[in-house]
Amino acid sequence: MIHLSQKQALMLTLMAGVRPWSRAVTRALSTSAPVGTSAAAASLLKNPSLLAVASGKSLLDVFNPAKPDEIVGQVPIQGGEETRQAIERSYHVLPSWRDGTTASFRSNLLSKWSGLIQENADDLAIIMTLESGKPLAESRGEVNYATSFLDFYAAEAVRSTGAGGGFMIPTPFATTNGAPRGQIMAKQQAVGVTGLITPWNFPIAMITRKVGPALAAGCTAIVKPSELTPLTAVALQNLAEQAGIPENVLQLITTDKSSTPQVGGELCTNPLVRKLSFTGSTAVGKLLMKQSSDTVKRLSLELGGNAPFVVFDDADIDQAVTAAMASKFRNAGQTCVCADRFLVHAAVHDEFVDKFVAAAQKLVVGPGLDKETTMGPMIVADAVTRTHQKVQEALERDGATCALGGSPMEDLGPHFYQPTILTGVSPESSIWKTETFGPVAPIIKFDVEEEALRLANDSDVGLASYFCTRDLSRAFRFSEQLECGIVGLNDGIISSCAAPFGGIKESGLGREGSSLGIAEYLETKYIFMNT
């Protein structure tokens, strides 16, 4: 277990200014040796703005996926009207933020925010693990990943490609005597009010990946975190306020499952919102896209994936297994870029499967706060049910063979599922054709590169793909032919703040991260000056 002193446990019970964690959780947190905290930790989850909203409101219980009978906190349930009011506040503060601050000023605030997050990293990681279930080491790594976006966009804010930057173009116009006439100038300006809808699987990084470039560009931001993991967002907003980000520049809307459509609908249809960024399922992304069409909003949609992982016969098999483990079982397979379909050359199939099974057997499944745990629970019990149904269909109906796992881990609780590897999977099986979002690796053999490419590209989505080879010509050829937005070669962890993240086909629109990420929050204005 990760243990906290009684003082630290009390500091962590300040949940959103509403109600403390359950006694069971507080007791569990206060039973062993302390981890490092900072003075700022006492106010991480005490949110005055949410406290004001909570008056007379229903409250949402936030549960621990590892122990779903334990409530770890509560936040107010907000809906369409609260969202409309937040949009109006965001719109009113926009001129002072967009036009009344310099890029250097915004850059410094993002840097201060990043520093405060790092100062409180241990406590943030605990909060994240308690509400998302992921192992504490993964949560701590996500804190670092989250601050990398703030640091990157603090630097991007002052570049010529940021807000207020632009470029001059030689004029094509001429006076009657043939001399150049006028000047052409292109200027970058902030889009305006933005609505940012984030998922539960990366409760902190998906917020900073959107909010960082939005604030750097001079936009104001309204964040709707997942109803499953709102507490990390509460802590994050509090640290933003401590960093000096002005009131209403960054606002938080907390919801339950029933009020989420109202909030999404208001963000999509309100004409004051000029940009919507969403990370989540393809089905919901399509709905938001339709709802946003009447106001012609700028859209960034990071939607579902079904990533192929191809192992060629010339691959370093040990390296391929290491990459496969990192990509497949991180966060119990619950990431949009997890390897979901494995294509292994027949010549190395058995060796790869044997080593892959041996590596997966070493995973320790358990509550994320246990220090031995390397794979935590799935987020909800329904996810376990859906995953198991697909596994059973593949085995009983489609002729697959189970090389490892294949069952819920009921002894640990209703949210746990065994690391599972299936061989002989049919390409028509639902576990192959649709994203599983769980710790299951279905494997198919192939014989020639053309077959692997056809199977890899046989999908309506195109977010991430992975392949392993030592052939340099194939490395270039195959990566160019894969129909996806992200390619990992001989590696399974490839996301970075400096790299453009996003997909093609039904995996979405736009890019996050890199200099392209801030461009999503900027409009280009062309100015002709006949001087």
Side-chain angles (χ1 to χ4, degrees):
M1 290 283 292
I2 292 294
H3 301 298
L4 299 177
S5 67
Q6 184 65 34
K7 177 181 178 182
Q8 290 164 331
L10 290 173
M11 291 164 74
L12 288 171
T13 58
L14 298 170
M15 301 305 302
V18 180
R19 188 177 296 179
W21 289 342
S22 67
R23 292 178 180 176
V25 174
T26 304
R27 187 164 56 250
L29 288 173
S30 61
T31 55
S32 72
V35 297
T37 61
S38 69
S43 60
L44 275 182
L45 292 164
K46 186 175 182 181
N47 189 295
S49 60
L50 285 186
L51 181 60
V53 169
S55 178
K57 298 286 182 185
S58 297
L59 300 178
L60 170 70
D61 294 333
V62 182
F63 295 93
N64 178 357
K67 299 179 180 180
D69 58 336
E70 291 182 352
I71 299 172
V72 297
Q74 295 178 312
V75 293
I77 298 172
Q78 301 178 71
E81 178 58 25
E82 291 85 359
T83 305
R84 184 188 62 78
Q85 294 172 5
I87 291 170
E88 291 180 353
R89 291 192 297 269
S90 192
Y91 181 74
H92 289 143
V93 77
L94 176 64
S96 63
W97 177 249
R98 179 188 60 196
D99 307 321
T101 62
T102 64
S104 294
F105 178 81
R106 297 191 297 271
S107 174
N108 287 335
L109 290 186
L110 289 176
S111 295
K112 289 179 182 178
W113 189 16
S114 173
L116 287 172
I117 292 171
Q118 283 293 356
E119 287 178 18
N120 292 276
D122 291 327
D123 295 310
L124 285 168
I126 290 170
I127 294 167
M128 200 186 319
T129 291
L130 280 169
E131 65 176 352
S132 75
K134 64 177 60 181
L136 194 64
E138 287 189 23
S139 294
R140 188 61 178 82
E142 187 181 337
V143 173
N144 293 334
Y145 185 44
T147 56
S148 75
F149 286 106
L150 298 183
D151 295 337
F152 185 87
Y153 287 110
E156 284 293 305
V158 297
R159 298 189 188 279
S160 60
T161 50
F167 50 92
M168 302 291 292
I169 303 169
T171 179
F173 306 116
T175 64
T176 55
N177 63 3
R181 177 170 63 86
Q183 300 285 339
I184 290 179
M185 180 169 62
K187 184 176 177 62
Q188 307 282 19
Q189 294 181 317
V191 169
V193 177
T194 64
L196 312 176
I197 303 175
T198 61
W200 53 264
N201 55 346
F202 289 94
I204 185 170
M206 295 304 96
I207 293 178
T208 60
R209 191 162 78 177
K210 298 178 190 295
V211 173
L215 298 192
C219 298
T220 52
I222 300 165
V223 175
K224 193 213 85 67
S226 168
E227 67 274 8
L228 298 172
T229 55
L231 303 179
T232 305
V234 172
L236 197 59
Q237 186 198 31
N238 286 341
L239 292 174
E241 292 177 354
Q242 290 182 34
I245 293 175
E247 184 178 11
N248 296 328
V249 167
L250 172 60
Q251 297 183 76
L252 195 64
I253 299 291
T254 53
T255 68
D256 67 358
K257 190 173 183 178
S258 64
S259 69
T260 290
Q262 304 169 30
V263 173
E266 184 65 30
L267 291 172
C268 289
T269 59
N270 193 308
L272 298 182
V273 178
R274 298 310 314 150
K275 160 82 180 185
L276 183 77
S277 179
F278 167 74
T279 298
S281 72
T282 297
V284 173
K286 289 179 178 180
L287 175 62
L288 297 178
M289 192 174 184
K290 291 177 182 177
Q291 292 179 335
S292 297
S293 63
D294 283 344
T295 51
V296 195
K297 296 194 194 312
R298 290 279 296 275
L299 292 175
S300 293
L301 302 176
E302 197 268 280
L303 308 178
N306 191 11
F309 190 108
V310 183
V311 182
F312 286 100
D313 55 343
D314 66 334
D316 180 326
I317 300 303
D318 291 331
Q319 184 183 47
V321 168
T322 298
M325 289 295 298
S327 178
K328 175 68 262 180
F329 295 110
R330 183 166 53 115
N331 200 13
Q334 300 172 113
T335 88
C336 53
V337 293
C338 274
D340 236 27
R341 301 175 289 145
F342 286 79
L343 292 147
V344 184
H345 194 280
V348 295
H349 174 272
D350 292 350
E351 180 186 359
F352 175 83
V353 171
D354 289 346
K355 290 184 175 181
F356 195 19
V357 167
Q361 286 175 329
K362 296 178 182 178
L363 290 169
V364 178
V365 183
L369 287 180
D370 288 0
K371 65 181 181 180
E372 299 87 1
T373 293
T374 54
M375 192 183 95
M378 299 183 75
I379 188 67
V380 293
D382 283 350
V384 173
T385 300
R386 290 192 299 269
T387 297
H388 190 54
Q389 181 179 5
K390 292 175 76 173
V391 169
Q392 290 300 105
E393 287 179 357
L395 294 174
E396 298 173 5
R397 187 189 68 188
D398 301 322
T401 299
C402 187
L404 180 70
S407 299
M409 304 179 75
E410 296 177 351
D411 56 321
L412 291 177
H415 291 197
F416 290 90
Y417 198 82
Q418 291 177 324
T420 297
I421 297 174
L422 307 179
T423 60
V425 174
S426 167
E428 300 304 315
S429 174
S430 64
I431 205 162
W432 183 267
K433 295 185 74 69
T434 61
E435 184 178 33
T436 299
F437 231 63
V440 181
I443 301 176
I444 287 179
K445 290 182 183 179
F446 72 91
D447 292 308
V448 294
E449 182 177 320
E450 292 76 14
E451 180 188 7
L453 182 66
R454 176 180 58 81
L455 288 168
N457 287 340
D458 185 21
S459 176
D460 292 332
V461 294
L463 184 56
S465 294
Y466 306 87
F467 70 100
C468 298
T469 183
R470 286 182 282 195
D471 184 325
L472 185 60
S473 295
R474 175 183 285 141
F476 281 97
R477 179 177 65 249
F478 202 72
S479 61
E480 291 176 357
Q481 293 174 326
L482 284 168
E483 295 174 355
C484 63
I486 304 167
V487 178
L489 174 61
N490 297 325
D491 210 322
I493 302 293
I494 55 176
S495 298
S496 167
C497 65
F501 187 102
I504 63 173
K505 300 195 280 192
E506 293 189 11
S507 284
L509 304 169
R511 294 295 181 267
E512 294 183 319
S514 81
S515 59
L516 299 181
I518 195 170
E520 299 281 344
Y521 295 88
L522 295 169
E523 296 282 16
T524 301
K525 179 179 287 184
Y526 155 44
I527 304 170
F528 177 73
M529 305 177 69
N530 189 359
T531 56

